Amino acid sequence: MALVLLWQLASSTGVLPPEKLASPLTVAQSAGELIADGQLLDAFTVSLGRVFFGFLIGAAVGGASGLVSGLSRWGETLLDPPVQMLRTLPHLGLIPLFILWFGIGEEPKLALVASGVAFPLYLNLHAGIRQTDPGLVEAARVLGYSRFERVVHVVLPSAVPQTLVGLRIALGTAWLSLIVGEQINADAGLGFLINNAREFLRTDVVVVGLVVYALLGLTTDALVRVLERRILRWRTR
Amino acid sequence: MANPVSVRGLHKAFGARTVLDGIDLEIAPGEFVALLGRSGCGKSTLLRILAGLDRDVEGAAEVQGTVSIAFQQPRLLPWRKVWRNIALGLHRPDGRSVALKALEEVRLAGHADAWPLTLSGGEAQRVSLARALVREPDLLLLDEPFGALDALTRLAMHHLVEDLWAEHRPAVLLVTHDVDEALLLADRVLVLDEGRIVAEHHVDLPRPRRRASVVEQRTRVLADLGVDVETAA
């Protein structure tokens, strides 16, 4: 709050010229205008859609491969070494390849978000499954539970906490990937709004876009926290 | 009725190391047997074989009827409420009423909807016992289930196990390294050493037994275990 006041003061006194950074009041005003003419909502919807579908694809791929390599030995032999190798590569560095493979439309943006989601989800799901207490599995075995039942009743539930950690990292990376991905020739979305504003030196609009990014990130993070608190009730108290 | 446990010429080796070296053991229905031995003598291995957790053996280890086991650690699923952990033993998702009854038997009636992580060690172990007992087992295997508990809780657990055994009458095989525990609870005490049963003691004392009543046999069992009481005391 004090920071915003200081920022406003710097802008009003001319220490901070508007072509470097617009004043908070101007930003709020522009936000109001962008909301009023529907631009912000359109951009918001497009960006949210990209994150959503990118996340779905990434979660499906990361989740499925995490399950396969966590639950079966051959799956692990087959999948884990290449994934462990690839994960050392910053996925944002893949942009040039994605552009060559998928062009400059929606696909590379989705691919970027999806790859940002798939890795943390895979790693944490795999680790979560492997961390299952063998004692619990054994206890279920003596109670006559089949391998499939042991997976359902013991292995997967015990992988949930670690998977939720992965989910939170994945969502954070999803937004980051989106922001970077939307720099590639976007013709809609928050990234387009920001890039366009840059062309016209509209620092106020740039800031509005950044604030929306931040709010979206915070919101999804809060959602996962709520989810964690509900699902992991058994951990505390 | 066939004996719940019938073991003949059982051998078990881990690589070059022989753990069980020709075990013969019969346990009659409803009989309470304690298996005593030092750490690493193979007693837990024998229990695991009887529980069906280790099938890579030589010789015969036949078990008749339903088997339940309570481990040294309670091994409850922490994400399931206490009653659901007990219902796990029934192998069906319902069965709350059966679970509640079992909880009452182990004197934890109020804890049905508690999370396992909120229980004390003794309480968790009682839940584990209840989970083993709801199956109405013909054979109850107890793998040092009191080993991790404090002395007072352990005493209470001895009484509880004795009561439950009197009520349900499963055959019991209790693995322990506590001589007093074995003598207080069992009809028959076996001493296992280096993979062989080296001694067998019948305990024909009325129940509930008191520590003072088993002193005489205690000395003999300790001698079988290689402990000279005169110098040890």
Side-chain angles (χ1 to χ4, degrees):
Chain A
M1 211 57 209
L3 208 64
V4 175
L5 282 176
L6 200 69
W7 172 14
Q8 180 63 47
L9 196 71
S11 298
S12 307
T13 52
V15 176
L16 198 61
E19 68 267 22
K20 296 284 184 220
L21 193 64
S23 77
L25 280 178
T26 324
V27 170
Q29 216 172 354
S30 315
E33 284 165 19
L34 287 169
I35 292 169
D37 67 7
Q39 267 195 75
L40 193 62
L41 188 68
D42 286 348
F44 174 83
T45 317
V46 168
S47 291
L48 198 66
R50 284 176 185 148
V51 161
F52 181 73
F53 289 110
F55 178 83
L56 277 193
I57 298 168
V61 172
S65 44
L67 280 180
V68 169
S69 94
L71 294 175
S72 80
R73 206 156 291 277
W74 60 264
E76 185 170 39
T77 318
L78 212 65
L79 280 174
D80 204 48
V83 174
Q84 296 290 350
M85 210 166 69
L86 282 176
R87 86 185 171 101
T88 58
L89 203 72
H91 76 287
L92 296 177
L94 295 173
I95 293 175
L97 276 180
F98 282 169
I99 292 177
L100 288 176
W101 293 345
F102 303 116
I104 51 171
E106 285 303 296
E107 293 89 346
K109 300 172 183 65
L110 290 180
L112 203 63
V113 173
S115 60
V117 168
F119 282 98
L121 215 53
Y122 168 90
L123 292 171
N124 285 284
L125 180 57
H126 176 259
I129 290 174
R130 291 287 159 185
Q131 278 163 16
T132 305
D133 178 357
L136 294 183
V137 180
E138 221 173 63
R141 223 174 108 193
V142 183
L143 293 173
Y145 282 70
S146 68
R147 184 177 148 75
F148 176 74
E149 289 171 320
R150 294 199 295 271
V151 167
V152 171
H153 291 293
V154 183
V155 178
L156 293 183
S158 75
V160 165
Q162 188 70 41
T163 309
L164 284 172
V165 172
L167 183 67
R168 238 165 82 190
I169 301 173
L171 279 170
T173 326
W175 288 112
L176 185 71
S177 310
L178 176 80
I179 294 170
V180 177
E182 287 192 332
Q183 307 288 317
I184 319 167
N185 197 41
D187 52 11
L190 290 168
F192 169 71
L193 197 73
I194 290 175
N195 271 342
N196 229 13
R198 189 199 61 208
E199 304 261 325
F200 298 104
L201 298 177
R202 289 288 303 272
T203 52
D204 52 339
V205 177
V206 172
V207 172
V208 171
L210 291 178
V211 168
V212 175
Y213 273 142
L215 288 178
L216 282 171
L218 285 174
T219 310
T220 45
D221 203 59
L223 283 177
V224 182
R225 275 172 198 273
V226 171
L227 200 68
E228 273 184 352
R229 215 168 307 149
R230 272 202 62 81
I231 298 179
L232 304 183
R233 266 172 311 167
W234 52 269
R235 276 187 143 183
T236 43
R237 282 174 292 128
Chain B
M1 188 182 161
N3 280 348
V5 173
S6 188
V7 173
R8 283 176 308 278
L10 184 67
H11 283 265
K12 170 74 192 175
F14 292 112
R17 205 169 73 87
T18 301
V19 184
L20 296 177
D21 189 12
I23 300 281
D24 295 299
L25 173 64
E26 296 282 331
I27 299 180
E31 191 185 12
F32 200 132
V33 177
L35 191 61
L36 264 176
R38 298 163 176 272
S39 332
C41 71
K43 54 190 195 301
S44 285
T45 307
L46 177 58
L47 208 74
R48 290 176 59 83
I49 292 169
L50 293 178
L53 290 170
D54 191 341
R55 297 183 197 281
D56 182 22
V57 295
E58 274 177 67
E62 282 162 27
V63 174
Q64 301 287 333
T66 313
V67 186
S68 278
I69 186 166
F71 300 93
Q72 183 167 8
Q73 301 300 327
R75 302 201 187 178
L76 306 175
L77 300 183
W79 52 85
R80 292 202 181 194
K81 289 190 171 165
V82 162
W83 78 266
R84 284 189 186 279
N85 262 287
I86 295 173
L88 208 65
L90 293 167
H91 210 145
R92 47 172 212 253
D94 56 328
R96 183 173 163 98
S97 59
V98 184
L100 289 183
K101 200 172 146 276
L103 264 179
E104 218 165 287
E105 276 195 306
V106 297
R107 291 148 213 171
L108 281 174
H111 290 67
D113 291 307
W115 297 109
L117 291 183
T118 64
L119 302 178
S120 72
E123 287 168 343
Q125 202 55 272
R126 269 140 72 194
V127 174
S128 165
L129 264 182
R131 180 176 68 184
L133 282 170
V134 280
R135 290 154 61 76
E136 292 291 341
D138 300 297
L139 173 64
L140 177 61
L141 302 169
L142 301 173
D143 190 4
E144 300 188 37
F146 321 119
L149 302 176
D150 64 84
L152 291 175
T153 312
R154 199 178 314 165
L155 273 180
M157 286 292 280
H158 288 165
H159 290 301
L160 180 65
V161 164
E162 194 164 37
D163 289 350
L164 291 172
W165 171 70
E167 175 76 23
H168 296 267
R169 280 285 158 176
V172 177
L173 182 60
L174 166 71
V175 159
T176 179
H177 51 238
D178 182 338
V179 177
D180 290 324
E181 185 170 291
L183 289 171
L184 285 170
L185 292 172
D187 298 316
R188 187 150 62 103
V189 176
L190 304 172
V191 178
L192 196 66
D193 189 32
E194 299 199 340
R196 291 168 176 278
I197 294 174
V198 294
E200 182 173 4
H201 296 263
H202 289 268
V203 190
D204 302 316
L205 296 168
R207 299 166 191 273
R209 297 169 188 155
R210 287 182 307 140
R211 216 158 270 258
S213 62
V214 299
V215 168
E216 206 179 311
Q217 265 185 318
R218 185 171 187 270
T219 315
R220 272 180 274 143
V221 175
L222 281 171
D224 290 328
L225 283 163
V227 180
D228 186 345
V229 186
E230 297 305 315
T231 53

